[in-house]
Amino acid sequence: MVTNVTSLTRSGLSDFLVQRVSAVIIAAYVICVVGFFVANPGLTHGDLVRYFGSLSMKLFSTLAILSTAAHAWIGMWTIGTDYLREAHVGGGATALRLIYQSLCVLVLFVFVGWGLTLFWSLG
Amino acid sequence: MKSSRPVSLTLNPFKFSWPFTALASITHRLTGVALFGVLLGALYIMQLALSSPAGFAEAKSLLAETWIKVLVLVVLASLVYHIFAGLKHLLLDFHVGDTYEGAKLGAQISIVLSILVTAALGVWLW
């Protein structure tokens, strides 16, 4: 079996809760942003910058970005530890999982750094 | 750390019979992986659109291309399904629909709602 040294909180129970709380935050953000685009068909660059540049949207975007990173990590970790095991992929499973998890961390690290910089640099 | 945590079964997916609820479940996982895969691309489009009026026009013309529109619709479909399947999970946590028949009905409802919302978003995109 795969030990949980690389899980988000080192506890399945709190990972379970983080997964659900972050899901609700992301869903609220998606509905808000998609709703904004649907409600504003003739959107200009100025409108977009004003919308995402407001303090409330900067905070909401920050919350959504951090929630996405936690949510994606728990989800990708679960998938990796379910399928990248000796029983499925043979003896190199631990090395393979290490590479897979490193790539996930790299993508999410870039996502958080880039996303926060993007939204907080708006005027 | 508990050493008795549950481990997923070692089944050959090609020899496994796929009941409807299993298909709904693996689709939840697959859409999650797909959404992870497009995170940076979505951020790139956002950055382009926010950068300047010229960048905004460029992002707009990018999103007007047919293959990108199709890709955006697939991403939106994944997002919508992932959210409805997730909502179903939240209900299951409160023991709503956690019988076999309830799970089947829940999966059916989440798929029907996803198709309806995705169709509406498709109409909006085109």
Side-chain angles (χ1 to χ4, degrees), chain A residues 1-4 16 20 30 37-38 43-45 48 52 76 78-79 82-83 85 87 111 114-115, chain B residues 1 3 5 7-8 10 26 29 33 36 39-40 43-44 46-47 49-50 52-53 56 79 90 93 124:
Chain A
M1 75 160 256
V2 177
T3 53
N4 68 359
F16 167 95
R20 276 143 185 83
V30 165
F37 282 112
V38 171
L43 202 67
T44 65
H45 172 255
L48 194 69
F52 282 103
M76 296 301 278
T78 306
I79 287 172
D82 271 355
Y83 305 129
R85 290 187 289 127
F111 174 73
W114 184 10
Chain B
M1 187 183 77
S3 58
R5 86 176 178 91
V7 175
S8 79
T10 307
I26 200 70
R29 284 202 155 181
V33 173
F36 172 82
L39 277 181
L40 296 183
L43 217 46
Y44 170 78
M46 271 311 279
Q47 186 182 41
L50 285 166
S52 64
F56 184 82
L79 193 54
L90 285 178
D93 291 342
W124 168 69

mmCIF file of all heavy atoms in Angstrom, chain A residues 1-4 16 20 30 37-38 43-45 48 52 76 78-79 82-83 85 87 111 114-115, chain B residues 1 3 5 7-8 10 26 29 33 36 39-40 43-44 46-47 49-50 52-53 56 79 90 93 124:
data_model
loop_
_atom_site.group_PDB
_atom_site.id
_atom_site.type_symbol
_atom_site.label_atom_id
_atom_site.label_comp_id
_atom_site.label_asym_id
_atom_site.label_seq_id
_atom_site.Cartn_x
_atom_site.Cartn_y
_atom_site.Cartn_z
ATOM 1 N N MET A 1 0.826 -1.201 0.000
ATOM 2 C CA MET A 1 0.000 0.000 0.000
ATOM 3 C C MET A 1 0.862 1.253 0.000
ATOM 4 O O MET A 1 2.046 1.218 0.288
ATOM 5 C CB MET A 1 -0.954 -0.013 1.206
ATOM 6 C CG MET A 1 -0.330 0.303 2.544
ATOM 7 S SD MET A 1 -1.611 0.803 3.699
ATOM 8 C CE MET A 1 -1.366 2.554 3.734
ATOM 9 N N VAL A 2 0.224 2.360 -0.317
ATOM 10 C CA VAL A 2 0.947 3.623 -0.409
ATOM 11 C C VAL A 2 0.748 4.398 0.887
ATOM 12 O O VAL A 2 -0.374 4.610 1.324
ATOM 13 C CB VAL A 2 0.422 4.454 -1.591
ATOM 14 C CG1 VAL A 2 1.122 5.794 -1.638
ATOM 15 C CG2 VAL A 2 0.623 3.681 -2.895
ATOM 16 N N THR A 3 1.842 4.796 1.526
ATOM 17 C CA THR A 3 1.695 5.568 2.761
ATOM 18 C C THR A 3 1.316 7.014 2.419
ATOM 19 O O THR A 3 1.496 7.459 1.307
ATOM 20 C CB THR A 3 2.997 5.551 3.565
ATOM 21 O OG1 THR A 3 4.040 5.968 2.687
ATOM 22 C CG2 THR A 3 3.300 4.167 4.076
ATOM 23 N N ASN A 4 0.792 7.725 3.407
ATOM 24 C CA ASN A 4 0.223 9.040 3.096
ATOM 25 C C ASN A 4 1.150 10.205 3.429
ATOM 26 O O ASN A 4 0.711 11.310 3.696
ATOM 27 C CB ASN A 4 -1.143 9.214 3.764
ATOM 28 C CG ASN A 4 -1.032 9.304 5.267
ATOM 29 O OD1 ASN A 4 0.061 9.210 5.795
ATOM 30 N ND2 ASN A 4 -2.155 9.510 5.934
ATOM 31 N N PHE A 16 -10.256 15.267 3.479
ATOM 32 C CA PHE A 16 -11.650 15.109 3.067
ATOM 33 C C PHE A 16 -12.409 16.427 3.250
ATOM 34 O O PHE A 16 -13.119 16.883 2.356
ATOM 35 C CB PHE A 16 -12.274 13.991 3.928
ATOM 36 C CG PHE A 16 -13.774 13.865 3.885
ATOM 37 C CD1 PHE A 16 -14.382 12.965 3.009
ATOM 38 C CD2 PHE A 16 -14.577 14.624 4.727
ATOM 39 C CE1 PHE A 16 -15.764 12.833 2.986
ATOM 40 C CE2 PHE A 16 -15.964 14.485 4.698
ATOM 41 C CZ PHE A 16 -16.551 13.596 3.827
ATOM 42 N N ARG A 20 -13.818 19.370 0.369
ATOM 43 C CA ARG A 20 -15.202 19.830 0.257
ATOM 44 C C ARG A 20 -15.337 21.339 0.409
ATOM 45 O O ARG A 20 -16.064 21.985 -0.334
ATOM 46 C CB ARG A 20 -16.071 19.075 1.258
ATOM 47 C CG ARG A 20 -16.504 17.740 0.686
ATOM 48 C CD ARG A 20 -16.561 16.624 1.696
ATOM 49 N NE ARG A 20 -16.875 15.367 1.028
ATOM 50 C CZ ARG A 20 -15.987 14.600 0.428
ATOM 51 N NH1 ARG A 20 -14.721 14.960 0.390
ATOM 52 N NH2 ARG A 20 -16.354 13.466 -0.152
ATOM 53 N N VAL A 30 -16.665 30.049 -9.835
ATOM 54 C CA VAL A 30 -16.963 29.715 -11.238
ATOM 55 C C VAL A 30 -18.322 30.285 -11.642
ATOM 56 O O VAL A 30 -18.459 30.906 -12.704
ATOM 57 C CB VAL A 30 -16.936 28.178 -11.452
ATOM 58 C CG1 VAL A 30 -17.594 27.801 -12.768
ATOM 59 C CG2 VAL A 30 -15.505 27.662 -11.409
ATOM 60 N N PHE A 37 -19.460 36.851 -17.370
ATOM 61 C CA PHE A 37 -19.230 36.821 -18.818
ATOM 62 C C PHE A 37 -20.542 36.664 -19.591
ATOM 63 O O PHE A 37 -20.741 37.304 -20.620
ATOM 64 C CB PHE A 37 -18.251 35.692 -19.189
ATOM 65 C CG PHE A 37 -16.812 36.038 -18.914
ATOM 66 C CD1 PHE A 37 -16.101 35.382 -17.912
ATOM 67 C CD2 PHE A 37 -16.170 37.023 -19.636
ATOM 68 C CE1 PHE A 37 -14.773 35.714 -17.644
ATOM 69 C CE2 PHE A 37 -14.845 37.370 -19.388
ATOM 70 C CZ PHE A 37 -14.144 36.711 -18.376
ATOM 71 N N VAL A 38 -21.435 35.818 -19.080
ATOM 72 C CA VAL A 38 -22.716 35.594 -19.775
ATOM 73 C C VAL A 38 -23.557 36.875 -19.735
ATOM 74 O O VAL A 38 -24.211 37.242 -20.710
ATOM 75 C CB VAL A 38 -23.482 34.406 -19.142
ATOM 76 C CG1 VAL A 38 -24.892 34.294 -19.706
ATOM 77 C CG2 VAL A 38 -22.722 33.096 -19.378
ATOM 78 N N LEU A 43 -18.494 43.026 -23.642
ATOM 79 C CA LEU A 43 -17.425 43.346 -22.696
ATOM 80 C C LEU A 43 -16.228 44.036 -23.377
ATOM 81 O O LEU A 43 -15.800 43.627 -24.445
ATOM 82 C CB LEU A 43 -16.962 42.032 -22.061
ATOM 83 C CG LEU A 43 -16.264 42.078 -20.733
ATOM 84 C CD1 LEU A 43 -17.224 42.528 -19.655
ATOM 85 C CD2 LEU A 43 -15.727 40.695 -20.393
ATOM 86 N N THR A 44 -15.682 45.076 -22.738
ATOM 87 C CA THR A 44 -14.455 45.708 -23.239
ATOM 88 C C THR A 44 -13.301 45.381 -22.290
ATOM 89 O O THR A 44 -13.520 44.852 -21.192
ATOM 90 C CB THR A 44 -14.597 47.245 -23.290
ATOM 91 O OG1 THR A 44 -14.744 47.727 -21.946
ATOM 92 C CG2 THR A 44 -15.804 47.671 -24.114
ATOM 93 N N HIS A 45 -12.090 45.720 -22.733
ATOM 94 C CA HIS A 45 -10.909 45.499 -21.895
ATOM 95 C C HIS A 45 -11.038 46.256 -20.568
ATOM 96 O O HIS A 45 -10.735 45.718 -19.495
ATOM 97 C CB HIS A 45 -9.647 45.947 -22.651
ATOM 98 C CG HIS A 45 -8.416 45.941 -21.805
ATOM 99 N ND1 HIS A 45 -7.837 47.098 -21.325
ATOM 100 C CD2 HIS A 45 -7.683 44.921 -21.312
ATOM 101 C CE1 HIS A 45 -6.787 46.779 -20.589
ATOM 102 N NE2 HIS A 45 -6.662 45.468 -20.571
ATOM 103 N N LEU A 48 -13.322 44.520 -18.109
ATOM 104 C CA LEU A 48 -12.700 43.315 -17.555
ATOM 105 C C LEU A 48 -11.717 43.671 -16.440
ATOM 106 O O LEU A 48 -11.719 43.057 -15.376
ATOM 107 C CB LEU A 48 -11.985 42.545 -18.683
ATOM 108 C CG LEU A 48 -11.570 41.120 -18.369
ATOM 109 C CD1 LEU A 48 -12.790 40.220 -18.231
ATOM 110 C CD2 LEU A 48 -10.644 40.573 -19.444
ATOM 111 N N PHE A 52 -12.143 42.509 -12.479
ATOM 112 C CA PHE A 52 -11.167 41.670 -11.756
ATOM 113 C C PHE A 52 -10.236 42.496 -10.883
ATOM 114 O O PHE A 52 -9.589 41.957 -9.978
ATOM 115 C CB PHE A 52 -10.373 40.807 -12.736
ATOM 116 C CG PHE A 52 -11.134 39.608 -13.219
ATOM 117 C CD1 PHE A 52 -11.712 39.599 -14.487
ATOM 118 C CD2 PHE A 52 -11.323 38.508 -12.408
ATOM 119 C CE1 PHE A 52 -12.446 38.510 -14.932
ATOM 120 C CE2 PHE A 52 -12.047 37.409 -12.838
ATOM 121 C CZ PHE A 52 -12.616 37.415 -14.102
ATOM 122 N N MET A 76 -5.386 14.976 -7.357
ATOM 123 C CA MET A 76 -4.327 14.344 -8.151
ATOM 124 C C MET A 76 -3.553 13.334 -7.297
ATOM 125 O O MET A 76 -3.149 12.280 -7.776
ATOM 126 C CB MET A 76 -3.376 15.413 -8.729
ATOM 127 C CG MET A 76 -4.027 16.357 -9.713
ATOM 128 S SD MET A 76 -4.763 15.571 -11.163
ATOM 129 C CE MET A 76 -3.318 15.366 -12.202
ATOM 130 N N THR A 78 -4.798 11.591 -4.800
ATOM 131 C CA THR A 78 -5.657 10.416 -4.647
ATOM 132 C C THR A 78 -5.576 9.526 -5.882
ATOM 133 O O THR A 78 -5.445 8.301 -5.785
ATOM 134 C CB THR A 78 -7.117 10.861 -4.424
ATOM 135 O OG1 THR A 78 -7.156 11.763 -3.318
ATOM 136 C CG2 THR A 78 -8.019 9.674 -4.138
ATOM 137 N N ILE A 79 -5.619 10.165 -7.059
ATOM 138 C CA ILE A 79 -5.553 9.403 -8.309
ATOM 139 C C ILE A 79 -4.194 8.716 -8.440
ATOM 140 O O ILE A 79 -4.106 7.533 -8.775
ATOM 141 C CB ILE A 79 -5.850 10.335 -9.507
ATOM 142 C CG1 ILE A 79 -7.351 10.669 -9.519
ATOM 143 C CG2 ILE A 79 -5.418 9.708 -10.825
ATOM 144 C CD1 ILE A 79 -7.759 11.706 -10.520
ATOM 145 N N ASP A 82 -3.918 5.808 -6.138
ATOM 146 C CA ASP A 82 -4.832 4.715 -6.499
ATOM 147 C C ASP A 82 -4.282 3.872 -7.647
ATOM 148 O O ASP A 82 -4.431 2.659 -7.669
ATOM 149 C CB ASP A 82 -6.199 5.278 -6.927
ATOM 150 C CG ASP A 82 -7.149 5.435 -5.739
ATOM 151 O OD1 ASP A 82 -6.779 5.019 -4.637
ATOM 152 O OD2 ASP A 82 -8.250 5.965 -5.939
ATOM 153 N N TYR A 83 -3.678 4.565 -8.633
ATOM 154 C CA TYR A 83 -3.309 3.844 -9.861
ATOM 155 C C TYR A 83 -1.817 3.620 -10.040
ATOM 156 O O TYR A 83 -1.413 2.652 -10.671
ATOM 157 C CB TYR A 83 -3.856 4.583 -11.093
ATOM 158 C CG TYR A 83 -5.348 4.819 -11.006
ATOM 159 C CD1 TYR A 83 -5.890 6.076 -11.219
ATOM 160 C CD2 TYR A 83 -6.214 3.772 -10.704
ATOM 161 C CE1 TYR A 83 -7.256 6.295 -11.134
ATOM 162 C CE2 TYR A 83 -7.579 3.984 -10.611
ATOM 163 C CZ TYR A 83 -8.098 5.247 -10.816
ATOM 164 O OH TYR A 83 -9.442 5.463 -10.718
ATOM 165 N N ARG A 85 0.589 2.251 -8.482
ATOM 166 C CA ARG A 85 1.037 1.345 -7.418
ATOM 167 C C ARG A 85 1.706 0.125 -8.040
ATOM 168 O O ARG A 85 1.473 -0.178 -9.210
ATOM 169 C CB ARG A 85 -0.174 0.902 -6.579
ATOM 170 C CG ARG A 85 -0.765 2.015 -5.734
ATOM 171 C CD ARG A 85 -1.823 1.492 -4.803
ATOM 172 N NE ARG A 85 -3.027 1.106 -5.507
ATOM 173 C CZ ARG A 85 -3.615 -0.079 -5.408
ATOM 174 N NH1 ARG A 85 -3.095 -1.014 -4.648
ATOM 175 N NH2 ARG A 85 -4.716 -0.330 -6.086
ATOM 176 N N ALA A 87 0.995 -2.850 -7.842
ATOM 177 C CA ALA A 87 0.024 -3.788 -8.379
ATOM 178 C C ALA A 87 -0.392 -3.417 -9.809
ATOM 179 O O ALA A 87 -0.785 -4.272 -10.596
ATOM 180 C CB ALA A 87 -1.207 -3.824 -7.475
ATOM 181 N N PHE A 111 0.960 27.890 -11.082
ATOM 182 C CA PHE A 111 -0.422 28.383 -11.116
ATOM 183 C C PHE A 111 -0.679 29.412 -10.005
ATOM 184 O O PHE A 111 -1.222 30.495 -10.259
ATOM 185 C CB PHE A 111 -1.384 27.197 -10.993
ATOM 186 C CG PHE A 111 -2.830 27.584 -10.863
ATOM 187 C CD1 PHE A 111 -3.538 28.071 -11.958
ATOM 188 C CD2 PHE A 111 -3.484 27.476 -9.648
ATOM 189 C CE1 PHE A 111 -4.868 28.445 -11.839
ATOM 190 C CE2 PHE A 111 -4.821 27.839 -9.515
ATOM 191 C CZ PHE A 111 -5.510 28.329 -10.623
ATOM 192 N N TRP A 114 1.738 32.637 -10.502
ATOM 193 C CA TRP A 114 1.323 33.381 -11.684
ATOM 194 C C TRP A 114 -0.058 34.018 -11.458
ATOM 195 O O TRP A 114 -0.270 35.205 -11.710
ATOM 196 C CB TRP A 114 1.322 32.435 -12.877
ATOM 197 C CG TRP A 114 1.008 33.053 -14.199
ATOM 198 C CD1 TRP A 114 0.904 34.390 -14.498
ATOM 199 C CD2 TRP A 114 0.767 32.353 -15.423
ATOM 200 N NE1 TRP A 114 0.603 34.552 -15.816
ATOM 201 C CE2 TRP A 114 0.528 33.335 -16.417
ATOM 202 C CE3 TRP A 114 0.744 31.001 -15.780
ATOM 203 C CZ2 TRP A 114 0.244 32.979 -17.741
ATOM 204 C CZ3 TRP A 114 0.466 30.651 -17.099
ATOM 205 C CH2 TRP A 114 0.220 31.629 -18.060
ATOM 206 N N GLY A 115 -0.986 33.233 -10.946
ATOM 207 C CA GLY A 115 -2.354 33.708 -10.747
ATOM 208 C C GLY A 115 -2.426 34.875 -9.769
ATOM 209 O O GLY A 115 -3.058 35.894 -10.051
ATOM 210 N N MET B 1 0.095 8.103 11.726
ATOM 211 C CA MET B 1 -0.438 7.673 10.428
ATOM 212 C C MET B 1 -1.050 6.283 10.552
ATOM 213 O O MET B 1 -0.428 5.379 11.080
ATOM 214 C CB MET B 1 0.711 7.645 9.418
ATOM 215 C CG MET B 1 0.254 7.390 8.011
ATOM 216 S SD MET B 1 1.666 7.297 6.910
ATOM 217 C CE MET B 1 2.258 5.649 7.287
ATOM 218 N N SER B 3 -2.089 2.683 9.325
ATOM 219 C CA SER B 3 -1.586 1.791 8.279
ATOM 220 C C SER B 3 -2.730 1.006 7.671
ATOM 221 O O SER B 3 -2.541 0.182 6.788
ATOM 222 C CB SER B 3 -0.543 0.843 8.865
ATOM 223 O OG SER B 3 -1.140 0.118 9.920
ATOM 224 N N ARG B 5 -5.414 2.332 6.070
ATOM 225 C CA ARG B 5 -6.300 3.131 5.229
ATOM 226 C C ARG B 5 -6.750 2.327 4.023
ATOM 227 O O ARG B 5 -6.043 1.425 3.568
ATOM 228 C CB ARG B 5 -5.636 4.444 4.817
ATOM 229 C CG ARG B 5 -4.776 4.385 3.589
ATOM 230 C CD ARG B 5 -4.280 5.785 3.262
ATOM 231 N NE ARG B 5 -3.402 5.787 2.102
ATOM 232 C CZ ARG B 5 -3.835 5.968 0.858
ATOM 233 N NH1 ARG B 5 -5.108 6.141 0.596
ATOM 234 N NH2 ARG B 5 -2.970 5.965 -0.135
ATOM 235 N N VAL B 7 -7.443 0.863 0.422
ATOM 236 C CA VAL B 7 -6.650 0.845 -0.802
ATOM 237 C C VAL B 7 -7.598 0.490 -1.944
ATOM 238 O O VAL B 7 -8.460 -0.378 -1.798
ATOM 239 C CB VAL B 7 -5.520 -0.202 -0.688
ATOM 240 C CG1 VAL B 7 -4.760 -0.319 -1.997
ATOM 241 C CG2 VAL B 7 -4.567 0.171 0.442
ATOM 242 N N SER B 8 -7.465 1.193 -3.076
ATOM 243 C CA SER B 8 -8.365 0.899 -4.195
ATOM 244 C C SER B 8 -8.080 -0.505 -4.725
ATOM 245 O O SER B 8 -6.958 -0.995 -4.653
ATOM 246 C CB SER B 8 -8.227 1.938 -5.303
ATOM 247 O OG SER B 8 -7.095 1.680 -6.082
ATOM 248 N N THR B 10 -7.383 -3.716 -7.080
ATOM 249 C CA THR B 10 -6.575 -3.904 -8.270
ATOM 250 C C THR B 10 -7.414 -4.654 -9.299
ATOM 251 O O THR B 10 -7.499 -5.870 -9.275
ATOM 252 C CB THR B 10 -5.302 -4.697 -7.924
ATOM 253 O OG1 THR B 10 -4.667 -4.029 -6.847
ATOM 254 C CG2 THR B 10 -4.367 -4.746 -9.108
ATOM 255 N N ILE B 26 -15.936 7.483 -12.674
ATOM 256 C CA ILE B 26 -14.644 7.662 -13.359
ATOM 257 C C ILE B 26 -14.663 8.937 -14.192
ATOM 258 O O ILE B 26 -13.640 9.601 -14.350
ATOM 259 C CB ILE B 26 -14.269 6.411 -14.216
ATOM 260 C CG1 ILE B 26 -12.762 6.394 -14.516
ATOM 261 C CG2 ILE B 26 -15.045 6.364 -15.525
ATOM 262 C CD1 ILE B 26 -11.883 6.109 -13.329
ATOM 263 N N ARG B 29 -13.576 11.745 -12.059
ATOM 264 C CA ARG B 29 -12.116 11.768 -11.952
ATOM 265 C C ARG B 29 -11.470 12.320 -13.223
ATOM 266 O O ARG B 29 -10.575 13.156 -13.157
ATOM 267 C CB ARG B 29 -11.581 10.345 -11.735
ATOM 268 C CG ARG B 29 -11.789 9.852 -10.349
ATOM 269 C CD ARG B 29 -10.839 8.750 -9.984
ATOM 270 N NE ARG B 29 -10.730 8.777 -8.523
ATOM 271 C CZ ARG B 29 -9.970 7.981 -7.816
ATOM 272 N NH1 ARG B 29 -9.223 7.079 -8.424
ATOM 273 N NH2 ARG B 29 -9.923 8.074 -6.519
ATOM 274 N N VAL B 33 -8.989 15.608 -13.796
ATOM 275 C CA VAL B 33 -7.653 15.611 -14.391
ATOM 276 C C VAL B 33 -7.611 16.576 -15.581
ATOM 277 O O VAL B 33 -6.653 17.343 -15.743
ATOM 278 C CB VAL B 33 -7.246 14.186 -14.833
ATOM 279 C CG1 VAL B 33 -5.930 14.215 -15.598
ATOM 280 C CG2 VAL B 33 -7.130 13.268 -13.625
ATOM 281 N N PHE B 36 -7.392 20.085 -14.320
ATOM 282 C CA PHE B 36 -6.024 20.333 -13.858
ATOM 283 C C PHE B 36 -5.135 20.657 -15.065
ATOM 284 O O PHE B 36 -4.323 21.580 -15.027
ATOM 285 C CB PHE B 36 -5.494 19.103 -13.110
ATOM 286 C CG PHE B 36 -4.037 19.182 -12.751
ATOM 287 C CD1 PHE B 36 -3.633 19.869 -11.613
ATOM 288 C CD2 PHE B 36 -3.074 18.575 -13.540
ATOM 289 C CE1 PHE B 36 -2.296 19.954 -11.274
ATOM 290 C CE2 PHE B 36 -1.725 18.654 -13.212
ATOM 291 C CZ PHE B 36 -1.336 19.336 -12.074
ATOM 292 N N LEU B 39 -5.471 24.346 -16.402
ATOM 293 C CA LEU B 39 -5.323 25.471 -15.460
ATOM 294 C C LEU B 39 -4.411 26.574 -16.005
ATOM 295 O O LEU B 39 -4.783 27.750 -16.008
ATOM 296 C CB LEU B 39 -4.733 24.969 -14.128
ATOM 297 C CG LEU B 39 -5.693 24.357 -13.100
ATOM 298 C CD1 LEU B 39 -4.912 23.953 -11.864
ATOM 299 C CD2 LEU B 39 -6.801 25.330 -12.741
ATOM 300 N N LEU B 40 -3.218 26.171 -16.469
ATOM 301 C CA LEU B 40 -2.254 27.176 -16.902
ATOM 302 C C LEU B 40 -2.690 27.835 -18.208
ATOM 303 O O LEU B 40 -2.488 29.035 -18.410
ATOM 304 C CB LEU B 40 -0.855 26.557 -17.032
ATOM 305 C CG LEU B 40 -0.239 26.042 -15.725
ATOM 306 C CD1 LEU B 40 1.179 25.525 -15.957
ATOM 307 C CD2 LEU B 40 -0.220 27.124 -14.657
ATOM 308 N N LEU B 43 -5.185 30.472 -17.404
ATOM 309 C CA LEU B 43 -4.511 31.642 -16.835
ATOM 310 C C LEU B 43 -3.842 32.464 -17.940
ATOM 311 O O LEU B 43 -3.849 33.700 -17.903
ATOM 312 C CB LEU B 43 -3.473 31.158 -15.812
ATOM 313 C CG LEU B 43 -3.263 31.989 -14.556
ATOM 314 C CD1 LEU B 43 -4.565 32.410 -13.917
ATOM 315 C CD2 LEU B 43 -2.411 31.232 -13.561
ATOM 316 N N TYR B 44 -3.299 31.769 -18.947
ATOM 317 C CA TYR B 44 -2.652 32.458 -20.065
ATOM 318 C C TYR B 44 -3.662 33.341 -20.809
ATOM 319 O O TYR B 44 -3.390 34.510 -21.098
ATOM 320 C CB TYR B 44 -2.017 31.442 -21.034
ATOM 321 C CG TYR B 44 -1.544 32.087 -22.317
ATOM 322 C CD1 TYR B 44 -0.350 32.816 -22.344
ATOM 323 C CD2 TYR B 44 -2.299 32.011 -23.491
ATOM 324 C CE1 TYR B 44 0.079 33.447 -23.500
ATOM 325 C CE2 TYR B 44 -1.882 32.633 -24.652
ATOM 326 C CZ TYR B 44 -0.696 33.350 -24.650
ATOM 327 O OH TYR B 44 -0.287 33.985 -25.800
ATOM 328 N N MET B 46 -6.465 34.529 -19.616
ATOM 329 C CA MET B 46 -6.849 35.614 -18.716
ATOM 330 C C MET B 46 -5.804 36.723 -18.741
ATOM 331 O O MET B 46 -6.137 37.905 -18.800
ATOM 332 C CB MET B 46 -6.975 35.089 -17.273
ATOM 333 C CG MET B 46 -8.323 34.566 -16.877
ATOM 334 S SD MET B 46 -9.686 35.642 -17.284
ATOM 335 C CE MET B 46 -9.603 36.790 -15.942
ATOM 336 N N GLN B 47 -4.535 36.323 -18.685
ATOM 337 C CA GLN B 47 -3.459 37.313 -18.672
ATOM 338 C C GLN B 47 -3.457 38.132 -19.965
ATOM 339 O O GLN B 47 -3.326 39.355 -19.937
ATOM 340 C CB GLN B 47 -2.104 36.624 -18.498
ATOM 341 C CG GLN B 47 -0.963 37.628 -18.340
ATOM 342 C CD GLN B 47 0.380 36.962 -18.205
ATOM 343 O OE1 GLN B 47 0.688 35.998 -18.892
ATOM 344 N NE2 GLN B 47 1.185 37.476 -17.304
ATOM 345 N N ALA B 49 -6.022 38.667 -21.993
ATOM 346 C CA ALA B 49 -7.202 39.536 -22.052
ATOM 347 C C ALA B 49 -7.071 40.730 -21.120
ATOM 348 O O ALA B 49 -7.590 41.816 -21.405
ATOM 349 C CB ALA B 49 -8.454 38.737 -21.709
ATOM 350 N N LEU B 50 -6.352 40.563 -19.996
ATOM 351 C CA LEU B 50 -6.227 41.643 -19.011
ATOM 352 C C LEU B 50 -5.049 42.569 -19.328
ATOM 353 O O LEU B 50 -4.990 43.691 -18.816
ATOM 354 C CB LEU B 50 -6.052 41.058 -17.605
ATOM 355 C CG LEU B 50 -7.299 40.463 -16.947
ATOM 356 C CD1 LEU B 50 -6.908 39.620 -15.735
ATOM 357 C CD2 LEU B 50 -8.277 41.549 -16.522
ATOM 358 N N SER B 52 -3.823 44.351 -22.058
ATOM 359 C CA SER B 52 -4.000 45.630 -22.751
ATOM 360 C C SER B 52 -5.189 45.506 -23.694
ATOM 361 O O SER B 52 -5.635 44.388 -23.960
ATOM 362 C CB SER B 52 -2.746 45.964 -23.563
ATOM 363 O OG SER B 52 -2.575 44.979 -24.571
ATOM 364 N N PRO B 53 -5.717 46.627 -24.203
ATOM 365 C CA PRO B 53 -6.816 46.519 -25.180
ATOM 366 C C PRO B 53 -6.430 45.656 -26.388
ATOM 367 O O PRO B 53 -7.255 44.901 -26.910
ATOM 368 C CB PRO B 53 -7.061 47.973 -25.586
ATOM 369 C CG PRO B 53 -6.650 48.766 -24.394
ATOM 370 C CD PRO B 53 -5.474 48.020 -23.818
ATOM 371 N N PHE B 56 -6.545 42.108 -25.296
ATOM 372 C CA PHE B 56 -7.960 41.741 -25.168
ATOM 373 C C PHE B 56 -8.527 41.330 -26.526
ATOM 374 O O PHE B 56 -9.195 40.293 -26.652
ATOM 375 C CB PHE B 56 -8.753 42.921 -24.596
ATOM 376 C CG PHE B 56 -10.207 42.627 -24.330
ATOM 377 C CD1 PHE B 56 -10.608 41.988 -23.170
ATOM 378 C CD2 PHE B 56 -11.184 43.010 -25.257
ATOM 379 C CE1 PHE B 56 -11.949 41.717 -22.928
ATOM 380 C CE2 PHE B 56 -12.522 42.740 -25.023
ATOM 381 C CZ PHE B 56 -12.908 42.098 -23.857
ATOM 382 N N LEU B 79 -16.177 21.127 -16.409
ATOM 383 C CA LEU B 79 -16.361 21.916 -15.196
ATOM 384 C C LEU B 79 -17.772 21.734 -14.644
ATOM 385 O O LEU B 79 -17.962 21.494 -13.442
ATOM 386 C CB LEU B 79 -16.102 23.388 -15.536
ATOM 387 C CG LEU B 79 -15.928 24.393 -14.414
ATOM 388 C CD1 LEU B 79 -14.839 23.955 -13.454
ATOM 389 C CD2 LEU B 79 -15.574 25.761 -14.994
ATOM 390 N N LEU B 90 -21.529 15.900 -1.973
ATOM 391 C CA LEU B 90 -21.859 16.631 -0.741
ATOM 392 C C LEU B 90 -23.174 16.113 -0.162
ATOM 393 O O LEU B 90 -23.308 15.949 1.049
ATOM 394 C CB LEU B 90 -21.966 18.134 -1.029
ATOM 395 C CG LEU B 90 -20.639 18.871 -1.246
ATOM 396 C CD1 LEU B 90 -20.896 20.334 -1.564
ATOM 397 C CD2 LEU B 90 -19.760 18.763 -0.009
ATOM 398 N N ASP B 93 -22.601 12.851 1.509
ATOM 399 C CA ASP B 93 -22.003 13.030 2.841
ATOM 400 C C ASP B 93 -23.071 13.210 3.913
ATOM 401 O O ASP B 93 -22.866 12.855 5.070
ATOM 402 C CB ASP B 93 -21.083 14.257 2.855
ATOM 403 C CG ASP B 93 -19.836 14.046 2.018
ATOM 404 O OD1 ASP B 93 -19.525 12.878 1.724
ATOM 405 O OD2 ASP B 93 -19.187 15.034 1.652
ATOM 406 N N TRP B 124 -24.765 29.909 -25.884
ATOM 407 C CA TRP B 124 -24.198 31.218 -25.552
ATOM 408 C C TRP B 124 -22.863 31.446 -26.280
ATOM 409 O O TRP B 124 -22.598 32.539 -26.790
ATOM 410 C CB TRP B 124 -23.999 31.308 -24.026
ATOM 411 C CG TRP B 124 -23.170 32.464 -23.578
ATOM 412 C CD1 TRP B 124 -23.503 33.782 -23.627
ATOM 413 C CD2 TRP B 124 -21.842 32.416 -23.029
ATOM 414 N NE1 TRP B 124 -22.478 34.547 -23.133
ATOM 415 C CE2 TRP B 124 -21.454 33.742 -22.758
ATOM 416 C CE3 TRP B 124 -20.958 31.364 -22.722
ATOM 417 C CZ2 TRP B 124 -20.208 34.066 -22.204
ATOM 418 C CZ3 TRP B 124 -19.725 31.673 -22.170
ATOM 419 C CH2 TRP B 124 -19.355 33.010 -21.914
#
